[in-house]
Amino acid sequence: MSSYKTQSIRSVALVGHGAAGKTSLIEALLFQAEAIPSKGSVERGTTVCDFEALEKEAGHSLTSAIVNFGYENTHIHLIDTPGYPDFAGQAIAALAGVDTALVVVNAQTGIELMTERMMRYAAERKLCRMIVINKIDADNLDLPGLVADIRARFGKQCMLLDLPAHGAADVVEVLGRDAGDADFESVAAAHQALIDQIVEEDEDLLARYLEEGTDPSLADLHAPFEKALREGHLIPILFVSAKTGAGIKELLHVLAALAPNPLEGNLPPFYKGEPGDVTEPFQAEPDAEKHVLAHVFKVVADPYMGKIGVFRVHQGTLKKDMQLFVGDGKRPFKVGHLYQLQGKETVEVDALLPGDIGAIAKLEEIEFDCVLHDSHDEDHIHLLPLAFPQPMAGLAVETKKKGDEQRLFDILGKLAMEDPTFVVERHPSSNETVIRGLGEIHLKSKLEKMASQYKLEVDTKPPRVPYRETITGSAEGIHRHKKQSGGAGQFGEVHLRIEPKERGEGFEFVDAVKGGVIPGVFMAAVEKGVRQGLEGGVVAGYTVDDLKVTVFDGKTHAVDGKEVAFVTAGRKAVVEAIRAAKPIVLEPIVNIEIVLPEGAMGDLTGDLASRRGHITGTDGRGNGMAAISGEVPLAELNDYQSRLKSLTGGQGSYTIEFARYSAVPANVQQQLASKFQLHDEDE
């Protein structure tokens, strides 16, 4: 059994923008805790967390990595996450495994894109949040200005828990101290503000504090401090330098003494039932004696150990050799080996407690976001899924060598299994296999992994834009399918009505037939035909979406009524109705953020305007750099990386995120429709 209890466990994800120093910070924490003999270096490729060859080559994290160690009678699990927006999926997924999000900010560059995004994601997940300002040893910093910016962006509840001192050579904590030297701000003022914020969480403590006029003890402050963290009323700010070690010991002490244990953090949002059906909240209790409940937040396809599922135990004690179920599976599996992770190393353990992060290998049934449990009482328990950005950047891929097609699909399946924001699509109409991710760098990393780890080379080209079609009016469609060719024939007649739904609401099928004019046994065939009609499109060959289809009448034949007849009748009836319902083509619109030299802003804004885009904001980033945010049709970005490189002298970069679908201009719809008609004629 473990030498520690659940109350001693801390689970923390380090999140934030790229180059904030998260990986180096973990090295400093491991070294300070004497978990490693010396600090590794990102530049030399010797860190515990960036262990993959591609990460060492890139000089930054591409995937999340887990370490754990003991400190001050606690057991601390840390998750290092990638900071660049293209790899946000790994960072977001890690939030499901922790009680605390440590948002790391680069003191030199301040609040950046992923800083804001991860603060938002962590808040939506109701995680306790702390902000760590790293690289305080750098020159020409404006730390008071950065603190002011943090409070302006994230609220006055962002309060100093320590301050840099002696020229950032060390830090001084302010919770238990009301005097001392600091490089800026008054220790006394910071202490007073922090105490005032904490005592407001406890009415009795507040009354005593106001009456006596003396600071409560640290023991009395612990419970209201945790409550303030849970409710988002307090977001502590800390200062460190992973390079010099300033503030590292103090940060470790904060994690051990003030970060919530599994009994103090907000309960994870489990529910019982199936998605789309009636569900009810389910409370997982961090009790070592109850049934086991664990959630898989990361899956790895390891060339030696096979499929590895990384999970957080939320309830019960997970032991080696016990029987577990995966999701709603009826057949249990035996836990042959149980691991904790230390970067690339797997350390075998006998048991894991509520709050622990562990791993199981060589289990094909395990999937991202699945729940592991030891009793059928928990068969229909799920964790509320995280909201991942929709992958919009795409490439069509095909193998360089004939005969490698099946290998391609197998490898892409493994890559998609590991990454919730990497999607593989197969488009039979265009015979394209399309990979989609969060950006060009994201897709490039997947291609590099295919080449280096799996030894598979592919050719790429821009994919078809994922247009959609929808309707703007209501209409009815009727089709009778009748076929007689000797013997039993085919007969089915379908009457249906279609009407538009709000953008993004999807497809709804309603059976409103009365009197059995279409037997219930054939209604599934009608729906199948309707779905086939929607998939083929009417205007330009793209899937029709955001509509309600109601089947209200029809006819059958006692002998010739056949499933195939109702499939055909359903398909042709819905196509007839769509043609009469003023169909239009929709295109994906993406939010774009471009980081570029300030001198290139004029050229970039003009270029975006020429691509039917518009600017929504600009922001200075310091050091001669700026950021432009805006919206632009995805169809206009096929060659954007090369164009951006040309306009910025290679210094520009961009990220995109799906915003919505919007109607294409009339001339674009005409062009798409004419190509579809030519395609139909060729057929």
Side-chain angles (χ1 to χ4, degrees), residues 12 73 112 126 173 216 262 297 323 329 360 362 398 406 421 423 434 447 454 562 587 680:
V12 181
N73 300 315
E112 298 178 270
K126 295 186 177 178
E173 66 91 18
F297 64 87
Q323 302 276 341
I360 296 174
K362 298 180 180 178
E398 59 182 24
Q406 188 56 49
T421 55
V423 175
V434 177
L447 297 175
Y454 296 103
K562 298 283 194 312
E587 65 180 340
D680 282 349

Coordinates of all heavy atoms in Angstrom, one line a residue, residues 12 73 112 126 173 216 262 297 323 329 360 362 398 406 421 423 434 447 454 562 587 680:
V12 N -1.5 18.7 -9.7 CA -1.3 20.1 -10.3 C -1.0 20.0 -11.8 O 0.0 19.3 -12.1 CB -0.3 20.9 -9.5 CG1 -0.1 22.3 -10.1 CG2 -0.6 20.9 -8.0
N73 N 5.9 15.9 3.6 CA 4.9 14.9 4.0 C 3.7 14.9 3.1 O 2.5 14.6 3.4 CB 4.4 15.2 5.4 CG 5.5 15.1 6.5 OD1 6.2 14.1 6.4 ND2 5.6 16.1 7.4
E112 N -0.3 36.1 -22.6 CA -0.4 35.7 -24.0 C -1.7 34.9 -24.3 O -2.4 34.6 -23.4 CB 0.9 35.0 -24.5 CG 2.1 35.8 -24.3 CD 3.4 35.1 -24.6 OE1 4.0 34.5 -23.7 OE2 3.8 35.2 -25.8
K126 N -13.9 24.6 -13.0 CA -14.0 24.9 -11.5 C -12.8 24.3 -10.8 O -12.9 23.8 -9.7 CB -15.3 24.3 -10.9 CG -16.5 25.0 -11.5 CD -17.8 24.6 -10.8 CE -19.0 25.4 -11.4 NZ -20.3 25.0 -10.8
E173 N 7.5 35.6 1.3 CA 6.0 35.3 1.3 C 5.3 36.3 2.2 O 5.9 36.9 3.1 CB 5.8 33.8 1.8 CG 6.2 33.5 3.2 CD 5.0 33.8 4.2 OE1 3.9 33.8 3.7 OE2 5.3 33.9 5.4
P216 N -5.6 36.2 12.2 CA -5.8 34.8 12.6 C -4.6 34.0 12.4 O -3.7 34.3 11.6 CB -6.9 34.4 11.6 CG -7.5 35.6 11.1 CD -6.4 36.6 11.1
P262 N -7.4 16.2 -2.5 CA -8.6 15.7 -3.2 C -9.9 15.9 -2.4 O -11.0 16.0 -2.9 CB -8.4 14.2 -3.4 CG -6.9 14.1 -3.6 CD -6.3 15.1 -2.6
F297 N -7.6 10.3 -18.8 CA -7.5 11.6 -19.5 C -6.4 11.7 -20.5 O -6.2 12.7 -21.1 CB -7.3 12.7 -18.4 CG -6.1 12.7 -17.6 CD1 -4.9 13.2 -18.1 CD2 -6.0 12.0 -16.4 CE1 -3.7 13.2 -17.4 CE2 -4.9 11.9 -15.7 CZ -3.7 12.5 -16.1
Q323 N -9.9 -6.8 -10.6 CA -10.8 -6.9 -11.8 C -11.4 -5.5 -12.0 O -12.0 -4.9 -11.1 CB -11.8 -7.9 -11.7 CG -11.3 -9.3 -11.4 CD -10.9 -10.0 -12.7 OE1 -11.3 -9.7 -13.8 NE2 -10.1 -11.1 -12.6
G329 N -18.6 -1.8 -20.4 CA -18.2 -3.2 -20.8 C -18.6 -4.2 -19.8 O -18.6 -4.0 -18.6
I360 N -2.2 2.2 -16.8 CA -2.3 0.8 -17.1 C -1.9 0.6 -18.6 O -2.3 1.4 -19.4 CB -3.7 0.3 -16.9 CG1 -4.1 0.4 -15.4 CG2 -3.9 -1.2 -17.4 CD1 -5.6 0.0 -15.2
K362 N -1.1 -2.1 -22.2 CA -1.5 -3.3 -22.9 C -3.0 -3.6 -22.7 O -3.3 -4.8 -22.5 CB -0.6 -4.5 -22.5 CG 0.8 -4.3 -22.8 CD 1.7 -5.5 -22.4 CE 3.2 -5.2 -22.7 NZ 4.0 -6.3 -22.3
E398 N -1.9 11.1 -48.7 CA -1.9 9.8 -49.4 C -0.5 9.2 -49.4 O 0.5 9.9 -49.3 CB -2.4 9.9 -50.9 CG -1.6 10.8 -51.7 CD -2.2 11.0 -53.1 OE1 -3.4 10.8 -53.3 OE2 -1.4 11.3 -54.0
Q406 N -3.4 0.6 -46.0 CA -3.9 0.1 -44.7 C -3.0 0.5 -43.5 O -3.5 0.8 -42.5 CB -4.0 -1.4 -44.8 CG -4.7 -2.1 -43.5 CD -6.1 -1.5 -43.3 OE1 -6.9 -1.4 -44.3 NE2 -6.4 -1.0 -42.1
T421 N -7.7 16.4 -30.3 CA -7.9 17.5 -31.3 C -7.3 17.2 -32.6 O -7.1 18.0 -33.5 CB -7.3 18.8 -30.8 OG1 -5.9 18.6 -30.4 CG2 -8.1 19.3 -29.5
V423 N -8.1 14.8 -35.9 CA -9.2 14.1 -36.5 C -8.9 13.5 -37.8 O -8.2 14.2 -38.6 CB -10.5 15.0 -36.5 CG1 -11.6 14.2 -37.2 CG2 -10.9 15.4 -35.1
V434 N -8.4 13.0 -45.1 CA -8.0 14.3 -44.6 C -7.7 14.2 -43.1 O -8.4 13.6 -42.3 CB -9.2 15.3 -44.8 CG1 -8.8 16.7 -44.3 CG2 -9.4 15.4 -46.3
L447 N 2.9 14.5 -39.0 CA 3.6 14.0 -40.2 C 5.0 13.6 -39.8 O 5.5 12.5 -40.3 CB 3.6 15.0 -41.3 CG 2.2 15.4 -41.9 CD1 2.4 16.5 -42.9 CD2 1.5 14.2 -42.5
Y454 N 7.0 5.7 -37.2 CA 6.3 4.7 -37.9 C 6.9 4.4 -39.3 O 6.5 3.5 -40.0 CB 4.8 5.0 -38.1 CG 4.1 5.0 -36.7 CD1 3.8 6.2 -36.1 CD2 3.8 3.9 -36.1 CE1 3.1 6.3 -34.9 CE2 3.1 3.9 -34.8 CZ 2.8 5.1 -34.3 OH 2.2 5.1 -33.1
K562 N -40.8 -3.1 -49.1 CA -39.5 -3.6 -48.8 C -38.7 -2.5 -48.2 O -38.9 -1.3 -48.4 CB -38.8 -4.1 -50.1 CG -39.4 -5.2 -50.8 CD -39.1 -6.5 -50.2 CE -39.4 -7.7 -51.1 NZ -40.8 -7.7 -51.7
E587 N -20.2 28.2 -45.2 CA -18.7 28.0 -45.1 C -18.3 28.2 -43.7 O -18.9 28.9 -42.9 CB -18.0 28.9 -46.0 CG -18.1 30.4 -45.7 CD -17.3 31.3 -46.6 OE1 -16.4 30.8 -47.3 OE2 -17.7 32.5 -46.7
D680 N -21.9 16.2 -61.7 CA -23.1 15.3 -61.9 C -23.1 14.9 -63.4 O -23.4 13.7 -63.7 CB -24.4 16.1 -61.6 CG -24.6 16.1 -60.1 OD1 -23.9 15.4 -59.3 OD2 -25.5 16.9 -59.6

